[in-house]
Amino acid sequence: MRAVLEDRPPFGPWPARGETVVIDYSSPNIAKPFHLGHLRSTVIGSALRRLYKFTGHRVYGINHIGDWGSQFGKIIVAWKEWGDEERLAENPMRHLFEIYVRYQKEEKDRPELGKRAAEAFRRLESGEDNEERRIWTELREISLRAFQGPYRRLGVEFEAVTGESFYEDKMEAAIERVREAGIATVSDGALVVEFPGEGIPPCILRKSDGTTIYATRDLAALFYRRETYGFDRALYVVGSEQKLHFRQLKRVLERLGWPQAERVEHVDFGLILFRNEETGRWEKGKTRSGNAIFLDEVLDQAVAGIRKIIEEKNPDLDDKDGIAEQIGVSAIIFNDLKNSRIKDVKFDWNEMLSFEGETGPYVQYAGARLASILRKAGVEERPRVDGISWGLLEDAADVLLAMSEFRPVLEKAVLKNEPSLLTQFSIRIAGSIHSYLRDHHVLSAEPKLREARLALVAAARVLLVSTLGILGVTAPERM
RNA sequence: GCGCCCGUAGCUCAGCUGGAUAGAGCGUCGGCCUUCUAAGCCGAAUGUCGCAGGUUCGAAUCCUGCCGGGCGUGCCA
């Protein structure tokens, strides 16, 4: 408790350990909507970024925006066919999504669209200053600006935003490197690295039409990042469905004899599923009407639900809208980080909107109660620890035991790249302090006891705030 | 077909570097607001740990096979 209140490790920031980690997360694709599916990488990645920083690593969070690739040929064609400047300005994500969906639909009946799209990407990748590039530039910039909204709400930050297009002029060198190593072969007109006898399909570096593919860009990005950041470890926070891709990438690096190959890790995670009310089954990220669910709308709904609860539980609260925003957004983040990342997130609105039990609001509520006690006692956030009779806190064994788990929990979370360990830890702290407060009154206790209990309350609050802080969850003083 | 992942209470999960009566939340049932926020707390009921073998003094945990579900499987990302 002394260490907690004095902000010393392991409870305060850990000493630097001289290891540099680059974490690739969020990486939305501007050709596709920023929907709920992007939430996981964003939220897990930024939690890991803060976790690594807290534990003394040098961290570079990188947003590898999906702003390149043959799909942009499709987007360009879709834009030429159905693009509307006004609608784009109004709601860029929505409009780009609509024309993209329309493209997908119409391509089935109009095969010429596919040819035009391939040609459009070829022209884009030619490097010429042509119409394709102008459209791409405009759509890219508008999208990047639109991403700032969700990022601000979620409190997500990056050290670098370098899209795939950033590697446009670095891919040839990457391909050359693989060629020189003598591990590339030509197969069906494509340049590939094969893995004979390993049971995994070859990694394609250049398609038969001469254009590049995501593996090429990931490879170029890895070389660039090694040179730029000198990383010791590189984490990719990307869904499990891309496991094969990262395995191939890693195998290419190993065959190149790249020293850091070992420490390129795919931090994978499960899907977001919704309950199909008719079948009762969990299904992929679509509403009943078949629309993708936009992140902003989910956040808005959560905030609205919280706003209602505040109105009934605490109508006199100041800044109800601001608090509702904090709690609502946190509830979504917390829900995403609650279970092992490998598990699918089952998104159940009824459960989400009740905010009871092991949820974000539960932990925040504990924090608010603690803040309230400290406020009423008139002590500062971190009271002095001198002269406190620690022995009087024997009855707080559960809380103290939970607190002592902080270091091992952080260590395990780093080892396994598993933010859910912190989420579970915050629930344990909240639960134990909730229970303790029921039978152990603080303000009305004898002076010595009161002082000791206040220190406990303050320490629990500090620990809750820093744990939630790593997770990206706020800890309002009132709610 | 092949590869990877998952399978623990009605639901959602934790536990799985093997160790004593398998834990939590939701839901159900029953309690607690004239002292610090009831978004809380306390109690009760609920499990052949998918199935079958094996290793072990001891298996939810390790190994093998099978079943069920998911994801992936050469020019999308």
Side-chain angles (χ1 to χ4, degrees), chain A residues 24-31 34 62-69 71-72 136 140 143-145 147-148 151 158 160-167 217 225:
Chain A
D24 186 308
Y25 58 96
S26 193
S27 310
N29 199 314
I30 65 179
F34 197 110
I62 301 176
N63 193 356
H64 190 63
I65 301 272
D67 60 0
W68 205 247
Q71 48 179 331
F72 282 90
W136 173 80
R140 178 177 183 274
S143 297
L144 282 181
R145 240 175 287 140
F147 290 156
Q148 294 317 304
Y151 285 148
F158 302 94
V161 179
T162 40
E164 292 186 87
S165 64
F166 179 78
Y167 303 99
R217 290 183 280 282
R225 289 172 189 179

Side-chain angles (χ1 to χ4, degrees), chain A residues 49-253:
Chain A
R49 169 175 170 270
R50 282 179 296 252
L51 171 65
Y52 274 91
K53 281 197 174 178
F54 188 91
T55 52
H57 299 79
R58 193 178 303 111
V59 183
Y60 295 93
I62 301 176
N63 193 356
H64 190 63
I65 301 272
D67 60 0
W68 205 247
S70 52
Q71 48 179 331
F72 282 90
K74 298 179 184 177
I75 282 287
I76 287 167
V77 170
W79 175 255
K80 282 184 178 170
E81 288 278 313
W82 312 292
D84 182 327
E85 290 283 357
E86 261 178 51
R87 302 205 51 178
L88 185 72
E90 227 170 79
N91 191 339
M93 292 299 106
R94 174 71 70 183
H95 185 56
L96 283 180
F97 175 59
E98 281 165 359
I99 63 172
Y100 187 71
V101 167
R102 183 155 177 195
Y103 174 91
Q104 304 275 35
K105 260 188 205 153
E106 300 212 5
E107 192 190 29
K108 284 173 199 151
D109 306 322
R110 298 170 57 190
E112 82 275 10
L113 284 179
K115 282 187 196 131
R116 279 175 62 195
E119 173 61 12
F121 179 56
R122 203 199 53 72
R123 283 175 56 84
L124 179 62
E125 201 167 39
S126 72
E128 291 163 22
D129 182 17
N130 50 29
E131 190 190 0
E132 284 74 14
R133 182 155 292 262
R134 279 194 299 279
I135 292 173
W136 173 80
T137 305
E138 188 197 350
L139 297 182
R140 178 177 183 274
E141 267 164 24
I142 286 170
S143 297
L144 282 181
R145 240 175 287 140
F147 290 156
Q148 294 317 304
Y151 285 148
R152 213 174 300 120
R153 291 184 86 175
L154 295 168
V156 171
E157 292 174 355
F158 302 94
E159 271 65 34
V161 179
T162 40
E164 292 186 87
S165 64
F166 179 78
Y167 303 99
E168 194 185 343
D169 61 0
K170 299 172 180 61
M171 286 188 282
E172 274 317 312
I175 289 175
E176 226 13 73
R177 211 158 152 173
V178 175
R179 269 211 180 111
E180 275 168 21
I183 59 173
T185 51
V186 176
S187 167
D188 293 338
L191 186 74
V192 305
V193 176
E194 288 175 314
F195 311 106
E198 291 185 37
I200 56 175
C203 180
I204 296 176
L205 292 177
R206 195 199 297 284
K207 295 187 279 184
S208 47
D209 69 359
T211 59
T212 59
I213 191 167
Y214 62 123
T216 329
R217 290 183 280 282
D218 273 346
L219 209 55
L222 228 21
F223 294 150
Y224 172 83
R225 289 172 189 179
R226 174 61 197 166
E227 278 159 32
T228 308
Y229 306 113
F231 67 78
D232 301 293
R233 297 175 66 184
L235 307 185
Y236 284 86
V237 185
V238 179
S240 315
E241 62 273 20
Q242 289 196 38
K243 262 189 156 175
L244 178 58
H245 168 241
F246 285 104
R247 197 164 153 225
Q248 290 175 316
L249 203 62
K250 203 164 167 168
R251 285 298 295 129
V252 170
L253 294 170

